[in-house]
Amino acid sequence: MASQDDPQINSEPQIKSEPQSQTESVPQPELEPQTQTSSQLSEIEDMAIIECLGVVKSEYETERNKKQSFEIRVGLIMTLAGSLILVFLGQIQLKDVFPLMTDILTFLKLIKIIAGWLVYLGFGYTMWMLVKTINVKPHDNFAVHLIDESLLKEQRTLVLKRIIFTYRDLILQHRTINEKRAESFKRSLYGILVTFISGIVYITSL
């Protein structure tokens, strides 16, 4: 009797040990990627990355629109300056200014001489400043050719940080260029104002 009971006792732990080993090994590989993904999402939610990305994208578009605005305004000022010089050329000619410089100098003649020269000098200065407004260092663009398979495989947080810093550098460059454009355009307005006032003074002092 004792010899028959021994194999039954030995077989019981074999039956129980098989399901225990399966329950311990099956869920392990499924939980790891889920934990990784949730930790990345929570990290992004806790940081201001998305907000910063929205800000730099908005500022980037603003600086690009400034460039187009300057180009439109330069075209308008060039048209106005050209119209003014065509009107003044009929009444203000350098061949009429030179004899005034050789005559006996009076205050009225001095005003006319200065005004006659300022018409041409102001027009030339205006054109020069307008050319400088549009003829500056071109804007750099976002290097989309760097987006490849290796970039897509990187961690999302790191990629977003690199994009934000790239936008930041582009914005700083565009802003510096636009400030130079604004200064040149402002000087062109001064030039055309001098041209207009000098022309009026020359004509009215005939």
Side-chain angles (χ1 to χ4, degrees):
M1 294 294 293
S3 63
Q4 292 178 357
D5 293 333
D6 291 339
Q8 292 177 0
I9 294 171
N10 294 332
S11 63
E12 288 177 2
Q14 294 176 0
I15 295 172
K16 292 179 180 179
S17 62
E18 289 179 0
Q20 287 177 0
S21 62
Q22 290 178 358
T23 55
E24 292 176 358
S25 60
V26 170
Q28 294 296 330
E30 296 179 357
L31 292 174
E32 289 179 357
Q34 294 177 358
T35 306
Q36 252 185 346
T37 306
S38 61
S39 64
Q40 291 177 5
L41 292 176
S42 62
E43 182 182 0
I44 294 176
E45 290 176 356
D46 294 337
M47 302 172 68
I49 293 180
I50 302 301
E51 288 77 7
C52 290
L53 180 62
V55 170
V56 293
K57 287 174 66 177
S58 175
E59 289 297 315
Y60 176 79
E61 291 298 328
T62 300
E63 296 300 326
R64 296 288 296 183
N65 292 334
K66 285 182 182 179
K67 175 179 178 293
Q68 297 178 356
S69 176
F70 278 123
E71 292 174 350
I72 294 173
R73 284 184 282 180
V74 164
L76 294 175
I77 297 301
M78 278 188 171
T79 303
L80 178 61
S83 301
L84 281 178
I85 201 65
L86 286 177
V87 171
F88 290 149
L89 278 178
Q91 304 184 44
I92 306 171
Q93 297 183 5
L94 292 179
K95 66 179 183 178
D96 297 329
V97 177
F98 284 117
L100 295 175
M101 299 172 64
T102 58
D103 292 344
I104 298 175
L105 190 61
T106 62
F107 180 75
L108 181 61
K109 288 182 179 180
L110 179 61
I111 294 298
K112 290 188 64 173
I113 291 171
I114 294 175
W117 279 106
L118 285 179
V119 169
Y120 290 91
L121 292 176
F123 176 76
Y125 182 78
T126 300
M127 291 294 106
W128 181 38
M129 288 295 108
L130 291 176
V131 170
K132 283 188 64 177
T133 303
I134 58 177
N135 189 24
V136 295
K137 182 181 178 181
H139 286 189
D140 291 338
N141 297 316
F142 190 86
V144 293
H145 65 276
L146 297 178
I147 301 177
D148 52 11
E149 293 293 334
S150 62
L151 182 65
L152 297 178
K153 293 178 182 178
E154 293 186 15
Q155 188 179 1
R156 187 184 180 192
T157 306
L158 297 177
V159 174
L160 287 175
K161 288 180 180 179
R162 289 172 58 186
I163 292 175
I164 290 171
F165 292 147
T166 301
Y167 269 119
R168 179 201 62 187
D169 295 339
L170 290 174
I171 291 169
L172 293 176
Q173 187 229 26
H174 294 183
R175 187 163 293 169
T176 302
I177 294 175
N178 285 331
E179 287 175 356
K180 293 179 180 178
R181 281 196 173 101
E183 183 64 25
S184 298
F185 184 76
K186 182 175 68 174
R187 293 183 179 183
S188 71
L189 295 180
Y190 292 155
I192 196 170
L193 182 62
V194 169
T195 302
F196 177 75
I197 294 175
S198 300
I200 297 298
V201 169
Y202 185 94
I203 294 172
T204 55
S205 61
L206 287 176

